[in-house]
Amino acid sequence: MFDALTPEEWEAVHLSLRVATAATVGSMPVAIFVAWLLARTRFPGRALLDGFVHLPLVVPPVVTGYLLLLSFGRNGPVGAFLENTFGIVLAFRWTGAALAAAIMGFPLMVRAIRLSIDAIDPGLEAAASTLGANRVFVFLTVTLPLMLPGILAGAVLAFARGLGEFGATITFVGNIPGVTQTIPTAIYSYTQVPGGEAAALRLTAISVVIAFAALLASEALSRRIGRRVLGK
Amino acid sequence: MFDALTPEEWEAVHLSLRVATAATVGSMPVAIFVAWLLARTRFPGRALLDGFVHLPLVVPPVVTGYLLLLSFGRNGPVGAFLENTFGIVLAFRWTGAALAAAIMGFPLMVRAIRLSIDAIDPGLEAAASTLGANRVFVFLTVTLPLMLPGILAGAVLAFARGLGEFGATITFVGNIPGVTQTIPTAIYSYTQVPGGEAAALRLTAISVVIAFAALLASEALSRRIGRRVLGK
Amino acid sequence: MTIRVDVIRQAGAFTLAAQFASEGRVTAFFGRSGAGKTTLVNLVAGLLHPDRGRITVDDETLVDTGRGIDLPAHRRRIGYVFQDSRLFPHLSVRSNLLYGRRMTPRVERWGSLEATADLLGIAHLLSRRPGALSGGERQRVALGRALLASPRLLLLDEPLAALDEARKADLLPYIERLRDEMRLPMVYVSHSIEEVARIADTMVVLADGRAVASGPVAEILARSDLRPFTGQAEASAVIVARIVAGGEPGVALVDHPAGRLSVPGLDLPAGRAVRLRIRARDVALAVGEPGLISIRNRLAATVTGLAAADPPMVEVRLDAGGDVVMASVTEGAVQALGLRPGLPVTALIKSAAFDRMSLGPLETDNPQASRLDT
Amino acid sequence: MTIRVDVIRQAGAFTLAAQFASEGRVTAFFGRSGAGKTTLVNLVAGLLHPDRGRITVDDETLVDTGRGIDLPAHRRRIGYVFQDSRLFPHLSVRSNLLYGRRMTPRVERWGSLEATADLLGIAHLLSRRPGALSGGERQRVALGRALLASPRLLLLDEPLAALDEARKADLLPYIERLRDEMRLPMVYVSHSIEEVARIADTMVVLADGRAVASGPVAEILARSDLRPFTGQAEASAVIVARIVAGGEPGVALVDHPAGRLSVPGLDLPAGRAVRLRIRARDVALAVGEPGLISIRNRLAATVTGLAAADPPMVEVRLDAGGDVVMASVTEGAVQALGLRPGLPVTALIKSAAFDRMSLGPLETDNPQASRLDT
Amino acid sequence: DVTVFAAASLKNALDEIAADYREETGKRVLVSYAGSSALAKQIEAGAPADIFFSADLAWMDYLGERDLIRKDTRETLLGNAIVLVAPADSAATLTVEPGMDLLAVLGAEGRIAMANIESVPAGKYGKAAVESLGIWSAVAPRVVQADNVRAALAFVAAGEAPLGIVYRTDANSEPRVKVVGAFPADSHPPIIYPVAMTTWSQNPEARAFFDYLRSDKARLAYQKQGFTFVAAGS
Ligand SMILES: Nc1ncnc2c1ncn2[C@@H]1O[C@H](COP(=O)(O)OP(=O)(O)OP(=O)(O)O)[C@@H](O)[C@H]1O
Ligand SMILES: Nc1ncnc2c1ncn2[C@@H]1O[C@H](COP(=O)(O)OP(=O)(O)OP(=O)(O)O)[C@@H](O)[C@H]1O
Ligand SMILES: [Mg+2]
Ligand SMILES: [Mg+2]
């Protein structure tokens, strides 16, 4: 099965891995922060932020991709700013695909982390503060480690979602073999021609295998964390 | 904005609500059971089940829709069986759209519920068993209520995902106005023709409003549950 | 009720290897922190499972690895008051209390929500959530919850540790009534010798996961070789006496073969046998007539032995009408009084010194009681 | 250290409205389950915030709603041993112990991991996770963790409730050393009068969220109007005496204005002032010369009053060299001895009855000690 | 009701025709718009379609091979053209001719937006056209493919791609792009939209609407959207 892959398909596999990994890793700190804000603080506009985080789930991916194109394209307000200020270009680059994947996986990550935060006994944080830890230190040494199960679960969801992300990606960065062609965009092309099913299913099988490996790794890690965090 | 909707669009909104609700409600018991299996039991094939649950995230929606079409279509093995045995037809019915939405939201629901189960102190279940409760009763009276935060979070994710589901739906049940046309597929139609952008964005805004309402309701509910479950 | 335990269980660095049989109505598990008391209780409850061995209660085998028997916890009908209260956080106090009741066949139920809540002083908390209770309140609710499930055997893991003395004094008689009137067998984990002496008739001493001794409480507390486990200051004798008529209000006169004692704080009918714990440190000795002193309880006794305890204290063992009684005196006193085995002495016991915590009626069918009638 | 509290806080059906000032080095919060002890401790720690009022420790204002001051918990440097241990489940015992240490300026650190772990008997647990500890072990780790953060004030919420007598006996001297050598001020929540009498110099009695009394321990325990709160059986006097040379090994001879006592189990140098708690139930009275009895500790005293207690007991108040001492005797004894105010009597106290739990050296600078020199 | 499965690009025209038809006959027509491939596969899986209106010959052939359409009803109705577009504010001027210098317009890293060159008709036609001009190998690395021609158009409209190849129908209605040039009709296979009735259809009303699709009234609607009406046999 694997040796039947064309070099272009290999590139797509490689790129998909890169995109999904970058999306997961890159969005994690933001997701952790947002989840913490939503779970532990009350501020005006909190409901709005909460709703905003969920948007990528509700809005069809194609629309999300289109809105990304309008704002993060080189001529879009954010895109122009990023390019002029940091020299970062997203449009038609793999980084744009990673951004799309990150945004699509963001609500999943935030929710999982929030659930974990809600399950933390605030008494432990109080205990840490009586030991002299300020809010940041409490967060880093108590809250964050106890959030790990949620972070891990969120990461798995986001990674899987990133591997499967198609609509927003192709609308935002298109399908440039070797540059932005991920497995799903390659699969999509195959499904559009008569007789392409076999190739589409072959690529699908590959992403399933990758996701499975990620899942097994995360389960192993989560068992270790579970043992550590809950003393199980 | 709302009175500008055509009757057909109203139908799409109505149908989307029905599909997302049915998908969420219908998949919930299964998701709870699967989450419980994954969190609390060890059996051969557990990893396989876990992987299987995550598939809809990884596999591009179009492929998922195609596989659904092949198996649940009237000529597909499952579809034929369902039709002949129970007279249930899914293909090209709103029920099929609900099935597609349920499947796409399933991994999100299962994960959220699992996280909640993992956070439950097994000592409480042990306490219930010393009070004479058998496994089923312990589950219903202790585990299930303590899982509520996860169930709720999972339901919100699945509902939102169901509102936004496009790829699998259009591939499996098409885009027939009044029958299978949901908000996202209606949006798609508009994006495919000149001059459709305004209508597409209008429909997008409507699904955002719906999702927002669902989110606010769930947050209110979750505060109540939080107060009850954690005595906060 | 007979509890037979012969189990081995290893977890991490800790191995529990306990073998004992307890015949008593109330069995105390006694031992230092980390000795394995909770582990053992969990094995009896069915929450932990032995690597090897068996546990039987009366004729029923709860677990027997050899025969592949392992009755699940919910079919054991063993109530358990946990060291950490483990209340259901999502249920009100009322629902917590009633949780086990639904599972009990109607004919086997006893107690009522109202009576139990009143007794435990939690009637005003019924509609609260456990999250809004103080430490002691939680523990009382946990006790009520276990009781209202009408168990056949009740496991109490340090149930009173979080309670104040007054509350303890309220609850102990209730536990006694469960023992005597409801005839509810119990396993009682405690590190308070007072409580053990008052409640239990049998005790199992655990150390480092092993049952180093088991037997009647009086015997165990009198054994000086177990002093390292039971505690020096707590050397004490448990004697059984019978209440006679004629006490002033609030004081019971009790007859013991070695003399008559007046015991305050005992409110039981004449004829009833009682268990009195007499701590060695509360016993003074007189040789000859003691003079005009306020100590009015006197038992005629004979010195049977002298054992060095923590210097400068000496433990004097006495025979008082067939019962062992101990007195803890200084070396100086031994010399001044010329104490030696065989010397007849009077044991002086202050009425006020009978520990309220360790005063209790004897189970009416306790074999010790019958001795009094001979 | 002076702790001034004047706060009101309402939560649910419970209102805490406490006002008191405590001058002592160790302040005990004493009260029944649900009285509000934990709530008050949380207010001092900064984990709860008063609706109105202020709390100051020495000159530092911790919270003052009037002036809008509310020092966050982590800046208060107040150690807290929680009633539920609250160990960090994701950290090893070692890391739990060292958690607060990193936050302490190096020069202000005291104690060491090794010494603390040894003393608490948890050295063999250092690499474990809290999930694998017994109830008592958890509590000891929690105590070590609070200590190693080198706090300026230590709050202990029933720290010893989960521990066995032997372990308590090990830890109490350590807590005393913290008090005397490290001069660590403490707030000690307990429902054991023995512990309070031994550890604390000041106590605050809480009932239903109100501070019904506060003041020196001896005074509070001697006040019969507080008996409903402090407990009948526990009527006791605390006297201060000074160790003199000449005791046998293991027994200290102490001089009190009313006589000389020999107290076992005190190992302190001559000249040191000690605090002795003498429970009313441990004191017998003799009129005239007693016969040949083993009770060797005798204080010359005069009856100052008789108060009815739980019938049939009578509480006899005595003046012994200026200190109040109480004896609990039966009505029968009052009549037999003809006890009445003004009668000179001898208070007989068994050496063995000095409670190990309530024996302890006095803070060297305690003003009560200076009285002995006059 | 008549159910029509139609390529998504036909939406505007067919919506108008269906509305007219309803006004005239009172009968309702349901149109499911999606990609031709999805529609074809759905018909294969037993979808309740009476009429299949494809943007792509290949998928009509696919159904033909499987006897899922009534071959006697198959007819080519519409034609379209592909054009080269640039953002409206672009200064680019080009004549579409063999060897034209597309790369000069694209600049150092500009891309040319096309629909998928292997699977989407507009992309396939575009590729054939550029190949016939002899510059495909130079252009190929600069192509950014979209999953449909509308998305390709969006790339140009948003100014992200300096050039794009799209249908004339789309280009005409998008004010943010201008047509730089049209590809000669012989530079690529004919761009045609075939329609047929399905074998599955038992619906007597279907025939009537099928005929209506070829009526003069319908013809106006197609032309309004920029299609050429090329009813075969006519
Ligand atoms: N999950 C575990 N894994 C390994 N060791 C454990 C585990 N749980 C408890 N232990 C150890 O087993 C021993 C016995 O624990 P147990 O809880 O039975 O003690 P205990 O007698 O109830 O003590 P305490 O009076 O402090 O509650 C302790 O040394 C404890 O450290
Ligand atoms: N979150 C809460 N909401 C409402 N009432 C509460 C809450 N927490 C505690 N209480 C009530 O406040 C009172 C004081 O509680 P607190 O924990 O201070 O008692 P305590 O003196 O420490 O008792 P214990 O000795 O049992 O630990 C109790 O009556 C309790 O029911
Ligand atoms: Mg224990
Ligand atoms: Mg408390």
Side-chain angles (χ1 to χ4, degrees), chain C residues 32-33 136-137 140 162-164 167 191 251 279 281 283 285-287 290 292-294 310 312 328 350 356, chain D residues 32-33 136-137 140 162-164 167 191 251 279 281 283 285-287 291-294 310 312 328 336 350 356:
Chain C
R32 295 193 61 161
S33 171
E137 288 164 348
R140 283 180 272 157
L163 300 182
D164 55 291
R167 185 60 68 186
H191 22 64
V251 210
R279 293 188 286 190
R281 67 172 212 190
V283 179
L285 298 178
V287 175
L292 195 57
I293 62 174
S294 63
D310 258 359
S328 176
K350 283 204 63 170
R356 301 194 140 213
Chain D
R32 295 193 60 161
S33 171
E137 287 164 350
R140 283 179 272 157
L163 299 183
D164 55 291
R167 183 61 68 187
H191 22 66
V251 212
R279 292 188 285 190
R281 69 172 211 190
V283 179
L285 299 177
V287 175
L292 192 58
I293 62 172
S294 63
D310 258 359
S328 176
K350 283 207 63 174
R356 301 195 139 214

Side-chain angles (χ1 to χ4, degrees), chain E residues 112-174:
Chain E
I112 176 165
M114 297 173 69
N116 193 298
I117 54 170
E118 264 137 34
S119 55
V120 180
K124 289 191 280 192
Y125 300 136
K127 180 183 172 192
V130 177
E131 267 173 344
S132 81
L133 299 177
I135 53 172
W136 176 248
S137 55
V139 170
R142 308 298 286 277
V143 172
V144 55
Q145 306 171 55
D147 70 325
N148 59 62
V149 71
R150 301 287 306 169
L153 180 68
F155 286 148
V156 182
E160 297 301 325
L163 287 176
I165 299 176
V166 299
Y167 287 127
R168 187 181 58 219
T169 47
D170 293 307
N172 285 345
S173 56
E174 173 55 80

Side-chain angles (χ1 to χ4, degrees), chain D residues 35 134 296:
Chain D
S134 81
R296 323 263 294 150

Side-chain angles (χ1 to χ4, degrees), chain B residues 92 170-171 175 177 191-194, chain E residues 12 31-33 42 47 150 173:
Chain B
F92 309 110
I170 200 169
T171 313
N175 184 8
T191 62
Q192 292 308 300
V193 288
Chain E
N12 282 353
V31 192
S32 177
Y33 299 106
Q42 286 168 358
R150 301 287 306 169
S173 56

Side-chain angles (χ1 to χ4, degrees), chain C residues 128 132 134-137, chain D residues 11 14 32-39 83 158:
Chain C
R128 292 230 196 129
S134 80
E137 288 164 348
Chain D
F14 181 77
R32 295 193 60 161
S33 171
K37 304 181 294 295
T38 300
T39 308
Q83 196 168 5
E158 309 194 18

Side-chain angles (χ1 to χ4, degrees), chain C residues 205-220:
Chain C
V205 180
L206 292 169
D208 282 334
R210 297 188 42 253
V212 293
S214 67
V217 172
E219 239 167 61
I220 301 280

Side-chain angles (χ1 to χ4, degrees), chain C residues 13-14 30-35 37-38 83 128 134-137 140 158 160-168 170 191-194 228 232-234 248-251 262 264-265 279-296 310-313 327-333 336-337 339 348 350-356, chain D residues 13-14 30-35 37-38 83 128 134-137 140 158 160-168 170 191-194 228 232-234 248-251 262 264-265 279-296 310-313 327-333 336-337 339 348 350-356:
Chain C
F14 181 76
F30 188 85
R32 295 193 61 161
S33 171
K37 304 182 293 295
T38 300
Q83 197 168 4
R128 292 230 196 129
S134 80
E137 288 164 348
R140 283 180 272 157
E158 309 192 18
L160 306 183
L163 300 182
D164 55 291
E165 302 295 328
R167 185 60 68 186
K168 273 185 199 166
D170 285 355
H191 22 64
S192 157
I193 284 279
E194 276 89 0
Q232 179 60 44
E234 294 304 333
E248 305 154 53
V251 210
S262 60
R279 293 188 286 190
R281 67 172 212 190
D282 285 335
V283 179
L285 298 178
V287 175
E289 186 50 34
L292 195 57
I293 62 174
S294 63
I295 308 181
R296 323 264 293 153
D310 258 359
M313 305 311 289
S328 176
V329 302
T330 56
E331 273 158 20
L337 272 66
L339 297 177
L348 304 171
K350 283 204 63 170
S351 300
F354 290 109
D355 194 320
R356 301 194 140 213
Chain D
F14 181 77
F30 188 86
R32 295 193 60 161
S33 171
K37 304 181 294 295
T38 300
Q83 196 168 5
R128 290 230 197 129
S134 81
E137 287 164 350
R140 283 179 272 157
E158 309 194 18
L160 305 183
L163 299 183
D164 55 291
E165 301 297 328
R167 183 61 68 187
K168 272 184 197 164
D170 286 355
H191 22 66
S192 157
I193 283 279
E194 277 91 357
Q232 180 58 45
E234 295 302 334
E248 305 155 51
V251 212
S262 60
R279 292 188 285 190
R281 69 172 211 190
D282 284 334
V283 179
L285 299 177
V287 175
E289 184 55 30
L292 192 58
I293 62 172
S294 63
I295 307 181
R296 323 263 294 150
D310 258 359
M313 304 311 290
S328 176
V329 302
T330 56
E331 274 158 19
L337 271 65
L339 297 178
L348 306 171
K350 283 207 63 174
S351 301
F354 289 109
D355 196 320
R356 301 195 139 214

